[in-house]
Amino acid sequence: MTKPVYEVIDNANGTQSIQRTDPDGKVWSIPFDEANSDYQAYLEHEASSK
Amino acid sequence: MASTTTNYGWVVPTSSDLVKNGATAISTVGSSVDTSLWNSGFGQAGKNKIINGDFRFNQRNFTSITSTNYGFDRWSCNISDGTVTYTPQTFTPGAAPVAGYEAINFARVVTTGQTLASARTNFNQNIEDVRTLAGQTATISFWAKAGSGTPKIAVELNQSFGTGGSPSSGVPTYAGQVTLSTLWARYSVTVAVPSISGKTMGTDPNTSVVQCNLFVSAGSNFNSRTGSLGIQSNTFDVWGVQVEYGSQMTPFQTASGGSIQNELAMCQRYYYRKNSELTGGAFGIGQCFSTTQANVQIPHPVTMRTTPTLARSGLSLTNATQTRQAVSAISNNGSNVNTFAADFTTTGIVAGNATTLLGSGTSTTDYIEASAEL
C-alpha cells in the first residue's frame, strides 16, 4: 500500500466518519467537515478515483 | 551639557548646549531612537507570523519523515521524487546560531536522487488567513547551513483563498533565493505580497492561508516559483524562521513573543497530542452505549481551527469491574472545535454504564491526538 485507504464508517447514532489508513498502518478518523483539510483530501481522492 | 532621557537613556541636548552642535545632537538622538525601536520589536508578540519558528515543539514526536507529512508542529515537508528525509536535530548547548537565544532544536532536510521535472522538496508552514500580509511588504528570514558546498534555498509566499464555494485561484509569489555555506548564517528576502483586492474567499471558515515555502530542491516544473532553483542534493539545516511586515529583518522572536506556554497553545490550535503520562493514565469519562462501544468526550486544550481529525495509540476502557478492556478502533462522533468526541470500540462493557478512557496499562506513551492543520 503506497497511498491512504479510505472507508466511510457508520456510527451507531446514525452519524458517519471517514476512516483513513495510511501506508504506515496508522488509522485516522476524519469528520465530515469541509473546513477540515483531511476531508478535503478525501474529496479529492474520491473525485480522482471516479 | 547633554543629558539622558529617563526611560531609554537617549542622549539629548540641553538649553545650554551650543547651537553649532545641534545637528550632531539630532543625529545622536535619531540613532538612539532607531536602536530603541529596533530592540523594542524583539519581544513583540504577533510580529512573527510563523508559529514554532524555533522548532521547540515536536508534539508528534517524529523522528524521521520520508514522504509529505508534518514533523515539527506546524512544519510540513512536501516531498515528490527521489529520497528525502526530514528529521529533528538537537543543538549542542551553546552551539545555537544566535547569541543569547539558546535554541533546542533545528530541522534537517536531506535530499538525494531527485531527477524529475515534477520533483520537489519544500519545507513549509501554512499561515492561517490569506489576509495576513496582503498588500504589504514582507521579509522572510531564517538561519540555515548546508552539508557541503553552496546550495541555495528559494523562498515563496503562496496565497490560497480557502475552500467552499468558488474561491479565487492561488497566487504564488517568488520572493528570492539565498546561497548557503556550511556555517550557520542568517538570511533574508523581502517581497511585495500581492493585494487580495478583487479576490473571492472560500466560504468555509478559517481555510485560507499564506503558505511560506522554503524550497531546497525543485524540478523545472517549479522554475517560475523558485527562480529556477533546480534539483539539489544536499543536507539543509534550518532554524529561526520569521515572516514579518516591512523591508528589514528584525531580531528573531517566536509568534507568541517568547512565551513557551502561549507558543504551545498556538500550535495546539492546529494539532495536539495528549499522552497518558502515567502507565494507564486517564484521558476522560464516557458512557457505554452497547457491549462493544462507548462515546467519550474530552475538552481540547485550546479551541481548534476546525473540527479535527482524530487518532489514538493504545488505550483501554474500563468495564463494570474497572478492568481495562483494550480499545481496537476509534470513530469521530460529535467532535467540534472545543471537544474531542469519539466512539471507541472494545469488548466486555455494559450498555448504559459509565466508563473511563485510560492508557493500555502497559505504556506511558499511549495517546489521543487531534489534527486541524491547514
Side-chain angles (χ1 to χ4, degrees), chain A residues 2 8-20 22-24 26-40 43-44, chain B residues 69 163-164 203-207 271 273 289 293 305-312 329-334 343 367 369-374:
Chain A
T2 58
V8 174
I9 303 295
D10 294 316
N11 294 323
N13 64 350
T15 62
Q16 291 184 315
S17 66
I18 300 158
Q19 179 177 289
R20 187 188 78 207
D22 289 344
D24 62 4
K26 182 154 187 173
V27 177
W28 296 86
S29 185
I30 302 169
F32 280 79
D33 176 1
E34 291 197 348
N36 182 296
S37 57
D38 295 317
Y39 180 70
Q40 289 295 326
L43 293 179
E44 290 175 13
Chain B
N69 211 336
T163 61
T203 54
D204 296 330
N206 307 332
T207 56
Y271 173 89
R273 177 180 289 190
F289 59 84
Q293 287 193 299
R305 179 188 66 86
T306 192
T307 304
T309 300
L310 309 180
R312 55 102 202 173
I330 180 176
S331 181
N332 210 322
N333 190 0
D343 294 344
Y367 61 81
E369 61 186 334
S371 175
E373 279 290 359
L374 285 155

Side-chain angles (χ1 to χ4, degrees), chain B residues 12 62 65 74 87 157 188 220 232 247 258 326 339 344 361 366:
Chain B
V12 295
F62 90 112
I65 283 172
R74 309 266 31 245
T87 58
L157 293 182
S188 74
S220 58
Q232 301 185 113
S247 58
T339 304
F344 291 87
D366 294 335

Side-chain angles (χ1 to χ4, degrees), chain B residues 49-53 55 60 65 67-80 86 107 109 120-128 140 153-158 209-216 222 225 238 241 243 373-374:
Chain B
K49 306 306 176 188
I50 293 290
I51 298 171
N52 199 28
F55 305 114
R60 292 173 180 84
I65 283 172
S67 59
T68 299
N69 211 336
Y70 281 89
F72 284 114
D73 279 64
R74 309 266 31 245
W75 287 102
S76 173
C77 192
N78 285 349
I79 300 167
S80 179
Y86 162 28
V109 179
R120 70 188 297 179
T121 305
N122 58 297
F123 192 54
N124 69 83
Q125 181 168 136
N126 288 318
I127 301 168
E128 184 175 345
I140 303 105
I153 291 180
V155 182
E156 177 200 62
L157 293 182
N158 192 352
V209 302
V210 180
Q211 184 176 64
C212 175
N213 280 313
L214 304 181
F215 280 91
V216 299
F222 296 93
R225 295 175 57 182
V238 177
V241 186
V243 175
E373 279 290 359
L374 285 155

Side-chain angles (χ1 to χ4, degrees), chain B residues 54 158 160 173 199 209 242 249 252 325 362:
Chain B
D54 66 353
N158 192 352
S160 174
T173 301
K199 299 295 185 184
V209 302
Q242 181 159 280
M249 65 175 176
F252 174 78
Q325 302 293 114
T362 59

